[in-house]
Amino acid sequence: MNPIDWQCNESDDRVVIQGPDARVTFLRLGDRWIHHVSFGFRRQNDADLDELVSTEESDPQQDDPARVVSPVYQELHRHAFAGDQSRGFCLLLTGRLFHHHFSAAVTVSVDHDRDGAVVVDFDVADRCRAEVASLAATYLVRLGSSALRDADSESIVWTGGRLGEGVLTLRSEAGAILALAEAGRQGTRAQAVARLAPGSFTHRLNYQWRWATTAEADRTR
């Protein structure tokens, strides 16, 4: 894949990071920032893969304070990208939910060393002095079971169908555990779950969304 000139468009309630094969959108919804990710939309119709991957948000009115469905972010800032600025962008998000204090570095870039994949990397920290039974990031993926190629606790891979020649992968980093469940006929619920550190007041969750063409992905298998 050729180098990508990333663009970042910002307003008070929307931040869009975009390259030829990926678009990451952060939207302000009430007091928080939510996000969704689209891949491969220039290989398809621009609207075909819009909001392919969307967060499922925690609900403070119903959720157990000890079990985080998804981190909550109320502040968003541009952050210095470690490398050539034309090759990617980095955002820093922070927020609170119950006794949880969340921060996340979100990096959008291209993995030139491996498979040329577009990578959206989330490195999350949860600082909490109360009980933490689980820390997760939960997403709705608008792809049915027919697009699922492979799944285990470290990676979930979708290909074919509306993805065209693309391969979408959710990959765990730093020991995160992945889980998968159906969400209707044309949807999947995917979750990255942190391995909690007993006795620690800071828990980490690191995972990546990756997009590559079929040929690029197969070269690394």
Side-chain angles (χ1 to χ4, degrees), residues 179-216:
L180 189 67
E182 289 189 0
R185 294 182 60 186
Q186 298 300 321
T188 305
R189 185 169 288 104
Q191 193 172 59
V193 184
R195 291 186 184 272
L196 301 179
S200 176
F201 295 124
T202 300
H203 303 284
R204 303 295 296 269
L205 174 60
N206 191 192
Y207 60 95
Q208 295 180 347
W209 289 101
R210 303 175 65 91
W211 165 270
T213 66
T214 304
E216 289 166 338

Side-chain angles (χ1 to χ4, degrees), residues 82-154:
D84 184 350
Q85 191 67 45
S86 68
R87 300 298 181 92
F89 274 93
C90 185
L91 299 176
L92 179 64
L93 297 98
T94 57
R96 293 184 60 182
L97 177 69
F98 303 117
H99 298 290
H100 303 269
H101 295 255
F102 300 109
S103 64
V106 182
T107 304
V108 186
S109 61
V110 175
D111 187 349
H112 293 289
D113 296 330
R114 190 167 183 263
D115 55 3
V118 176
V119 180
V120 185
D121 182 273
F122 287 80
D123 188 356
V124 181
D126 175 15
R127 297 168 179 84
C128 184
R129 290 188 170 272
E131 177 190 4
V132 179
S134 66
L135 168 63
T138 306
Y139 290 86
L140 176 63
V141 183
R142 292 171 178 82
L143 296 169
S145 58
S146 62
L148 186 65
R149 187 173 80 178
D150 194 17
D152 58 32
S153 62
E154 296 182 349

